[in-house]
């Protein structure tokens, strides 16, 4: 395996996510970016992709400040990469701003030729080669990556025509799945073909999630020889996003622990929560490293989890920083959770038979449960009619309780 790590693109593709609009945030503030990059660095990420500075003044200014901030942390091996069109302006501005490398790209599909930049294959090859060759000549130590945008819809022959001309001038060749059409099979096929043809060059992959395959494609890419995978916090990126860094780390941990040795996995969940607090959104339920993934609602599940969480929790998410689980009282809860809740949280002295009766009444009201009429309130009203005694627990024991529901 050739895996060298992640290229975080939270600050580039991440800011292209529709979630920035859904949350009315539109862009991350400098403060947000500093907090997030600190978290990512603590996690173990070392490569960060930013917009080319000419995208906007504020992005350019933020980059300068972040670079200084990260320098003050004195962490070795950090690399800042500017996402640049193969355009002299983008390249000039990125180098002036102090980036360590350029993530260059151009579309080579028939659609890009006709509807985007308007150049044909021959013109693309001549232009890109000229630019990359000159950049390499003047900046021999600058990290250079070149990607044929929309690689999986670009005929392999055309990619080879281009990459044959430039592979000796770049550090990394990218294979982005811009519109999310790749499958594990096509990923493996392409990476194998690239590895045979360009054995000295690293391969970087960037998988969009339009088919929900960005995670499995990333795993397949690593297995077949990709050096870098582009990721972001929450998998935020254009449309339905790319591979989530924490989802990928969780899977790498289960597939091949040695690939996670440079990462402090306990940071995964706090990092996801940090993004949630910035966007004022819950961590996505599709994200494996989330509290949702430790939340149980159905009576059968709740009973089993109360006895032994392993029945419905196969993965130890504590490794990834999710310290708790949740059993939600609601229309699907049964006598076991109700017994637990009334006894352990509300300190009623009741029997399991009484809990069974209460739960029948509670379930008969399931259609009435909503935001204004919460399950706990409905349950309280029912319990009120049972005149149950309360358990007497000494104050000092109460203080020792793990759960604090106040
Ligand atoms: C984009 C498209 C991109 C670029 C990826 C890359 C893609 O937003 O410009 O440069 O590797 O998916 O192709 O995100």
């Amino acid at each position: 395996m050739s895996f060298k790590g992640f290229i975080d693109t939270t600050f580039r593709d991440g800011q292209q996510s529709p979630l920035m609009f859904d949350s009315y945030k539109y862009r991350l503030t400098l403060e947000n970016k500093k907090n997030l990059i600190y978290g990512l660095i603590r996690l173990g990420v070392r490569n960060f992709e930013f917009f080319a500075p000419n995208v906007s003044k504020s992005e350019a200014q933020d980059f300068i400040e972040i670079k200084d901030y990260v320098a003050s942390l004195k962490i070795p091996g950090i690399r800042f990469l500017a996402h640049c069109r193969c355009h002299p302006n983008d390249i000039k501005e990125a180098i002036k701003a102090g980036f360590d490398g350029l993530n260059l790209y151009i579309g080579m599909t028939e659609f890009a030729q006709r509807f985007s930049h308007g150049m044909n294959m021959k013109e693309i090859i001549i232009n890109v080669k000229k630019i990359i060759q000159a950049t390499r000549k003047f900046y021999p130590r600058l990290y250079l990556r070149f990607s044929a945008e929309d690689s999986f819809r670009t005929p392999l022959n055309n990619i080879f025509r281009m990459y044959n001309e430039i592979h000796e001038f770049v550090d990394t060749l990218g294979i982005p799945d811009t519109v999310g059409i790749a499958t594990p099979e096509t990923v493996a096929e392409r990476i194998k073909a690239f590895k045979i043809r360009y054995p000295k060059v690293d391969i970087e992959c960037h998988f969009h999630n339009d088919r929900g395959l960005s995670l499995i494609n990333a795993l397949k890419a690593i297995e077949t020889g990709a050096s870098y995978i582009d990721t972001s916090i929450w998998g935020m990126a254009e449309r339905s996003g790319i591979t989530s860094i924490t989802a990928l780390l969780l899977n790498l941990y289960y597939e091949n622990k040695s690939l996670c040795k440079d990462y402090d996995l306990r940071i995964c969940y706090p990092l996801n929560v940090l993004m949630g607090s910035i966007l004022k959104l819950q961590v996505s339920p599709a994200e494996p490293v989330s509290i949702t993934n430790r939340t149980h609602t159905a009576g059968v599940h709740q009973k089993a989890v109360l006895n032994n969480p392993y029945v419905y929790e196969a993965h130890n998410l504590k490794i990834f920083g999710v310290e708790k689980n949740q059993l939600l009282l609601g229309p699907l809860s049964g006598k076991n959770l109700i017994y637990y809740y009334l006894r352990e949280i509300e300190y009623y002295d009741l029997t399991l038979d009484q809990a069974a009766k209460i739960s029948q009444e509670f379930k008969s009201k399931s259609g009435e449960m909503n935001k204004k009429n919460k399950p706990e309130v409905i349950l309280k009203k029912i319990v009120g009619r049972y005149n149950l005694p309360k358990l007497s627990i000494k104050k000092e024991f109460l203080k020792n309780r793990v759960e604090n529901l106040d």
Side-chain angles (χ1 to χ4, degrees), residues 109-142:
T109 59
E110 202 193 312
F111 321 107
Q113 292 178 38
R114 282 172 52 204
F115 306 116
S116 180
H117 46 67
M119 286 186 275
N120 63 29
M121 242 348 261
K122 203 168 156 207
E123 290 163 334
I124 296 172
I125 293 174
I126 291 169
N127 264 296
V128 169
K129 184 173 179 186
K130 196 169 88 192
I131 286 174
I132 291 186
Q133 223 174 355
T135 311
R136 174 51 79 226
K137 185 168 167 218
F138 290 114
Y139 302 96
R141 297 181 56 192
L142 193 68

Side-chain angles (χ1 to χ4, degrees), residues 10-225:
T10 305
F11 306 114
R12 200 279 295 172
D13 217 345
Q15 289 200 96
Q16 295 175 214
S17 164
L19 286 180
M20 300 305 286
F21 291 73
D22 292 350
S23 59
Y24 298 102
K25 220 23 227 169
Y26 302 111
R27 64 181 297 271
L28 299 169
T29 65
L30 176 61
E31 203 54 32
N32 296 156
K33 289 178 191 169
K34 280 186 179 171
N35 288 334
L36 290 166
I37 205 164
Y38 179 73
L40 284 160
I41 291 171
R42 288 268 317 268
L43 178 63
V45 179
R46 295 295 177 262
N47 301 297
F48 296 96
E49 184 180 74
F50 283 74
F51 288 115
N54 47 342
V55 158
S56 78
K57 268 200 180 135
S58 48
E59 289 299 329
Q61 190 53 40
D62 282 2
F63 171 68
I64 305 286
E65 305 247 6
I66 288 164
K67 195 168 186 283
D68 286 351
Y69 166 67
V70 171
S72 76
L73 300 175
K74 301 203 181 331
I75 308 281
I78 304 270
R79 199 155 56 178
F80 290 110
L81 309 168
H83 192 245
C84 295
R85 295 169 300 170
C86 284
H87 193 289
N89 276 354
D90 289 26
I91 295 172
K92 195 178 83 196
E93 294 297 323
I95 291 170
K96 207 166 84 189
F99 277 95
D100 305 296
L102 309 178
N103 280 353
L104 299 160
Y105 69 98
I106 198 167
M108 295 177 0
T109 59
E110 202 193 312
F111 321 107
Q113 292 178 38
R114 282 172 52 204
F115 306 116
S116 180
H117 46 67
M119 286 186 275
N120 63 29
M121 242 348 261
K122 203 168 156 207
E123 290 163 334
I124 296 172
I125 293 174
I126 291 169
N127 264 296
V128 169
K129 184 173 179 186
K130 196 169 88 192
I131 286 174
I132 291 186
Q133 223 174 355
T135 311
R136 174 51 79 226
K137 185 168 167 218
F138 290 114
Y139 302 96
R141 297 181 56 192
L142 193 68
Y143 169 89
L144 291 181
R145 181 221 71 182
F146 175 77
S147 280
E149 191 187 61
D150 209 350
S151 274
F152 286 82
R153 285 197 300 182
T154 309
L156 203 49
N157 271 348
N158 281 354
I159 301 188
F160 286 156
R161 273 174 69 198
M162 176 81 248
Y163 286 14
N164 286 347
E165 297 295 322
I166 52 133
H167 71 99
E168 57 186 302
F169 308 116
V170 298
D171 301 278
T172 302
L173 291 168
I175 323 180
D177 180 22
T178 306
V179 289
I181 61 155
T183 63
E185 290 72 28
T186 53
V187 169
E189 231 172 68
R190 290 230 157 173
I191 292 184
K192 280 179 194 157
F194 277 65
K195 294 284 287 179
I196 291 169
R197 213 169 173 108
Y198 313 111
K200 290 194 187 136
V201 187
D202 281 321
I203 291 172
E204 173 189 327
C205 290
H206 179 108
F207 296 112
H208 276 271
N209 204 29
D210 302 58
R211 286 180 66 177
L213 297 180
S214 66
L215 176 59
I216 185 83
N217 285 341
L219 287 165
K220 189 46 116 184
I222 292 171
E223 189 193 311
T224 31

Side-chain angles (χ1 to χ4, degrees), residues 260-278:
C260 301
K261 68 179 181 357
D262 298 330
Y263 297 88
D264 183 350
L265 299 175
R266 290 164 312 161
I267 303 294
C268 287
Y269 184 56
L271 191 60
N272 283 338
V273 172
L274 175 63
M275 183 58 93
S277 70
I278 288 170

